Amino acid sequence: MQRETILVIGANGQIGTALLPELQVQFGVNQVIAADLRKPSSETGLFEVLDATKPDALTDIVRRYRVTQIYHLAAILSAKGESDPLWAWNLNMQTALNVLEVSRLHNIRKLFIPSSIAAFGEHAPKYETPQTAILDPATVYGISKVAAENWSLYYHKRYGLDVRSVRYPGVISHQSMPGGGTTDYAVAIFHEAVQGRSFECFLEKDTRLPMIYMDDALRATLELMDAPESQISVRTSYNLAGMSFTPAELTESIQAYFPNFVTQYKPDFRQAIAESWPKTIDDSVARQDWGWKAAFDLPRLTHEMITHLTAVYQ
Ligand code: NAD
């Protein structure tokens, strides 16, 4: 079997921080190269400073390490992107196109470019949003995700590139803070709760959104990347479901551990973004194609987050 060398771009982010150790276990510490704009505070393994908008710098790393697989996680997320739409568009598209093109030119065996529930907009069904619903996103982030999905399909059809993707729901993790998305509240709330503080939520209490615990998000990513090529029927991006809840339901779940915990609601511009997104996701195509099944529901997520973060703040 060919030895794999994995490049993770945007490795210091919320998903990269958690994905890196998993890949190091699977492929070996010296077979995984983490890359990001800046060095992380603590390095565990190989690291390269990389601005993925620069194709030459990316090519240099791919050549030097003889990279065989790329996980492209660098992006400007939904809420942050709205502060400067053209900057977000340029960064998200330049990096995605560079990664696709460098992968084609350097015979990358497998490429992962995640999409998001933000690819959906006003006219997609809000409940059990199907795989093939109309994509009319409300944010520049969502527009860039739809474009990257279509470019991925194009590179697969035209050049045979083995590019794979999931539309992540809001990812909830204890390893690091999220990077400026509309579902960030569902991480921040746990940090306040375990420190005995109340929480000010930027969404209305009844705003239901699809979410996923990091362990499930990582398992989905690795299972998709491990699946035989013949089982992959979707080359834009697979719908992926974990759980769906509202801020009020999450608060109630936390109150089982901290009865005095309270959330105040002060919705801001992120409310409109959240309202444009699905409330629940139909991921039956991922289930059929490569056997996806989420393991974490809201009570289990709450238990994990409180256990891990209590240890951090002790
Ligand atoms: P994040 O914002 O936490 O991390 C992104 C990382 O990319 C950061 O470390 C940043 O420094 C790096 N980066 C930015 N510009 C770069 C550049 N030009 N070159 C190299 N690195 C650069 O994001 P995340 O939450 O880890 O998300 C990873 C991927 O998953 C993204 O594509 C995101 O759109 C997608 N996604 C995430 C979520 C979520 O809830 N976290 C949900 C849906 C989709």
Side-chain angles (χ1 to χ4, degrees), residues 10 12-15 36 50-52 73-74 77 115 141 145 168-169 171:
N12 297 351
Q14 188 196 6
I15 296 178
D36 207 300
L50 169 69
D51 178 351
L73 304 178
L77 303 195
S115 187
Y141 172 70
K145 286 296 178 191
Y168 287 127
V171 180

Side-chain angles (χ1 to χ4, degrees), residues 44-300:
T44 54
L46 302 170
F47 185 88
E48 290 282 339
V49 172
L50 169 69
D51 178 351
T53 62
K54 308 268 189 295
D56 293 348
L58 176 57
T59 303
D60 174 57
I61 294 174
V62 167
R63 276 213 186 118
R64 245 188 309 132
Y65 289 95
R66 297 171 193 266
V67 171
T68 60
Q69 294 189 22
I70 299 179
Y71 288 72
H72 174 48
L73 304 178
I76 303 302
L77 303 195
S78 59
K80 205 167 157 189
E82 293 306 292
S83 65
D84 191 342
L86 292 184
W87 164 72
W89 168 259
N90 285 332
L91 192 139
N92 289 357
M93 289 323 298
Q94 266 175 29
T95 58
L97 287 171
N98 285 343
V99 170
L100 283 163
E101 189 61 1
V102 168
S103 297
R104 173 179 85 84
L105 292 172
H106 295 274
N107 301 318
I108 293 300
R109 288 190 53 247
K110 279 189 226 175
L111 168 60
F112 179 72
I113 304 185
S115 187
S116 162
I117 53 164
F120 297 109
E122 195 188 340
H123 294 99
K126 290 274 179 280
Y127 287 93
E128 290 301 295
T129 307
Q131 176 68 43
T132 53
I134 189 167
L135 302 174
D136 58 348
T139 58
V140 68
Y141 172 70
I143 300 173
S144 73
K145 286 296 178 191
V146 174
E149 286 190 12
N150 285 317
W151 273 108
S152 297
L153 176 63
Y154 181 85
Y155 267 75
H156 176 71
K157 279 192 171 161
R158 172 101 197 248
Y159 305 115
L161 188 66
D162 188 354
V163 49
R164 306 181 181 198
S165 178
V166 289
R167 292 176 180 141
Y168 287 127
V171 180
I172 301 172
S173 67
H174 58 85
Q175 289 93 336
S176 66
M177 295 302 278
T182 302
T183 52
D184 290 11
Y185 91 85
V187 176
I189 192 170
F190 284 104
H191 286 264
E192 299 306 311
V194 298
Q195 293 180 84
R197 299 204 284 245
S198 62
F199 179 63
E200 192 176 293
C201 184
F202 58 73
L203 296 181
E204 295 274 19
K205 65 179 180 181
D206 55 357
T207 313
R208 184 172 304 283
L209 284 172
M211 303 278 185
I212 193 166
Y213 185 52
M214 181 63 88
D215 289 23
D216 269 346
L218 296 182
R219 190 166 53 78
T221 306
L222 297 171
E223 285 178 5
L224 171 66
M225 291 300 273
D226 272 349
E229 214 176 334
S230 58
Q231 281 174 228
I232 310 297
S233 71
V234 175
R235 293 294 182 166
T236 48
S237 189
Y238 279 98
N239 275 11
L240 187 74
M243 62 194 90
S244 282
F245 56 74
T246 66
E249 288 165 357
L250 180 55
T251 299
E252 205 182 313
S253 185
I254 292 171
Q255 283 166 343
Y257 297 80
F258 304 107
N260 297 327
F261 176 68
V262 285
T263 298
Q264 285 117 25
Y265 298 94
K266 286 220 176 125
D268 65 15
F269 72 100
R270 288 168 280 195
Q271 182 64 30
I273 299 178
E275 281 171 15
S276 76
W277 287 358
K279 295 181 186 301
T280 63
I281 297 286
D282 171 5
D283 63 357
S284 52
V285 181
R287 287 165 182 264
Q288 275 157 27
D289 280 7
W290 42 278
W292 166 245
K293 193 174 187 312
F296 285 83
D297 58 8
L298 179 54
R300 197 166 165 211

